[in-house]
Amino acid sequence: MSAMRWWGWGAEGSSTAELPPAAGRLLRDRLGVDARHTPPVSVDGVRLPEPALGEDVLARLRSAVGPEHVRQDALERISHAAGRSYPDLVRLRSGDGSGAPDAVVYPGASDEVAAVLAACASGGVAVVPFGGGTSVVGGVEALRDGLAAVITLDVSRMDALVESDRRSLTATFQPGITGPRVETLLASRGLTLGHYPQSFEFATIGGYVATRSAGQASTGYGRIDELVLGLRCATPAGDIEVKPFPATAAGPSLLGLLVGSEGVLGVITEATLGVRPLPEASRYEGWSFRSFAEGCEAFRTMEQAEASPDVARLSDEPETALSMALTSSGSAGERAGRAYLRLRGHDGGCIALVGFEGEEREIDARRNRTREILRGCDGLSLGERPGRAWLRGRYAGPYLRDALLDRGVMAETLETATTWSRLGELYQAVGNALNESLTARGTPPLVMCHVSHLYRSGASLYYTFIAAQEQGAELDQWRAAKSAASDAIVAHGGTITHHHAVGRDHTPWMRAEVGDLGLELLRAAKERLDPRGIMNPGKLLPDPGLQS
């Protein structure tokens, strides 16, 4: 896989996405966006600070990993200056490279990681672990936090499948291996991990584990924290190994502490995960519900009856309408389909997608049970065409965001989760907060939402919102919307993050999530493992004086 382009999504040199004609009409009619073109500056136009690393630290880093693996050229620094959040891209595209690291270091083995951490600890240099660079919450910003300099520690050279155990259904990976390579190597052994976040093309095993990634098939396959059995983590104080036992009662879970630690405690250098046999078949199909509330109730019934598919996704009315508008062909078959929905009272309703993977007989049995429940909840089967369409476009969102930014459009996402009892309340509150915040700044938005992860006690909510950018105040506009939505999440019983992690953007709300004593406990772990405070400063843990 080629490196990601520095200003957006996709491999460097690959073609960029184009908005369909229907999208252009939508931008004009719904958002009042004209035909302006706002491309990113050229790489030569990015403003970079001078590297601040001292020669003594540089010498130790070069000795640790080899001179060729310590890079300070402009493109390397720009490519590691930020993740892929909306504010990250706004800054990069405008030529603001002020957050670039002073160097990018590429270790090739766990002992090299340890040597890099030792050099940086002794020199007072911040270290930002970096996998695919796909964070959308500021998780890989090269912050110094009062330290003299900062490096990005890129683990892409550490990309091996260390071991696979077909009998135990486990596999051990180095942290820099990407999602596609994971699946290719496992498939050659008749296995799969089955973890497919939207960032799948570029994200890495280390990133999955460090951020508690969920993946689109988490309802069936499980979140990454359910799949991780053991790991190794290099910290400035030494290495920690959590052995991959199937279960243990040996005290509180160290695994639980390190999974989701976002590089703040150390660098994950190896992870052992549960895998499963490669599915021989898959079936993805669409369903319609008259309303989002009706669809949510159907999904609750399905999940609590233990009849859920591997992938379960329910779009609300605005997301369904947009999807249908953007994919409309005007064909006779499509017109007949819309007429059918109207006749059944489903015009203007919501589309759901359910996907099954496994053996043919198993899929048939599971589908029959699921279909029985969904029909009993007034669901209307739409066949396999919507499921196939979703599979084709499951990774398209970040590419389309680049095209929208080219047109001067804010395109952002956020996610949360809560119990079934509070899901409707939370859904309305966050949507209202986004609408009110953006409309107050003169930019009425389009706010959409879907459910994509189910649990016995509740579900996730994933919001997408688009609005005309407030020219010259793009980051203020984003910050106001993000704060309003996050305040609504906390006030109405949601988690501040279901699977995007905390990063930098969510730290102001961590106190509301875990409490003062919980934060003190996490800080105590950091102080023991990272006494100089060099590991990924400014992420996960709010400043002690910051009030949410």
Side-chain angles (χ1 to χ4, degrees), residues 139-161:
V140 294
E141 287 190 45
L143 303 179
R144 289 164 174 78
D145 199 26
L147 296 170
V150 57
I151 68 159
T152 292
L153 189 151
D154 189 312
V155 296
S156 58
R157 289 178 63 214
M158 300 172 65
D159 66 344
L161 168 59

Side-chain angles (χ1 to χ4, degrees), residues 130-320:
F130 192 101
T134 62
S135 171
V136 292
V137 291
V140 294
E141 287 190 45
L143 303 179
R144 289 164 174 78
D145 199 26
L147 296 170
V150 57
I151 68 159
T152 292
L153 189 151
D154 189 312
V155 296
S156 58
R157 289 178 63 214
M158 300 172 65
D159 66 344
L161 168 59
V162 177
E163 180 185 29
S164 64
D165 182 342
R166 188 70 167 73
R167 183 174 177 83
S168 302
L169 290 179
T170 65
T172 301
F173 301 93
Q174 289 184 314
I177 187 168
T178 62
R181 182 166 164 79
V182 165
E183 292 300 336
T184 296
L185 292 174
L186 288 178
S188 69
R189 295 158 171 81
L191 299 169
T192 182
L193 178 62
H195 191 75
Y196 297 102
Q198 194 172 56
S199 58
F200 171 75
E201 299 161 289
F202 300 97
T204 62
I205 284 288
Y208 291 169
V209 176
T211 61
R212 286 186 177 267
S213 172
Q216 294 168 342
S218 70
T219 297
Y221 281 70
R223 296 165 51 96
I224 204 70
D225 47 293
E226 298 171 24
L227 299 175
V228 179
L229 303 174
L231 59 76
R232 293 175 185 267
C233 182
T235 82
D239 285 357
I240 295 179
E241 179 184 5
V242 181
K243 296 181 173 63
F245 299 125
T248 176
S253 171
L254 290 179
L255 195 63
L257 177 66
L258 296 171
V259 175
S261 57
E262 301 189 33
V264 164
L265 303 179
V267 181
I268 293 164
T269 58
E270 194 171 279
T272 300
L273 296 98
V275 295
R276 63 179 67 195
L278 196 66
E280 67 179 27
S282 63
R283 298 286 185 276
Y284 286 78
E285 57 192 49
W287 287 78
S288 174
F289 293 93
R290 293 183 181 88
S291 69
F292 188 59
E294 184 180 88
C296 286
E297 182 61 15
F299 272 24
R300 182 192 67 79
T301 302
M302 178 179 71
E303 174 67 14
Q304 292 180 347
E306 299 183 350
S308 289
D310 297 305
V311 174
R313 188 181 183 97
L314 170 70
S315 295
D316 70 356
E317 290 88 346
E319 187 170 279
T320 297

Side-chain angles (χ1 to χ4, degrees), residues 198 413-415 448-450 452 460-464 499-500:
Q198 194 172 56
T413 63
L414 58 85
E415 36 72 60
M448 301 163 284
C449 184
H450 64 255
S452 52
S460 68
L461 293 171
Y462 189 104
Y463 291 85
T464 301
H499 60 267
H500 281 171

Side-chain angles (χ1 to χ4, degrees), residues 435-505:
N435 271 297
E436 290 168 8
S437 171
L438 290 165
T439 301
R441 300 183 71 92
T443 53
L446 178 59
V447 178
M448 301 163 284
C449 184
H450 64 255
V451 168
S452 52
H453 308 272
L454 307 183
Y455 307 93
R456 186 173 181 83
S457 62
S460 68
L461 293 171
Y462 189 104
Y463 291 85
T464 301
F465 54 100
I466 62 176
Q469 284 182 324
E470 191 174 337
Q471 298 258 320
E474 294 89 349
L475 294 181
D476 290 338
Q477 177 193 29
W478 168 84
R479 196 171 293 110
K482 180 74 173 179
S483 295
S486 298
D487 287 345
I489 285 171
V490 169
H492 293 274
T495 174
I496 195 59
T497 175
H498 171 263
H499 60 267
H500 281 171
V502 176
R504 185 185 189 186
D505 296 346

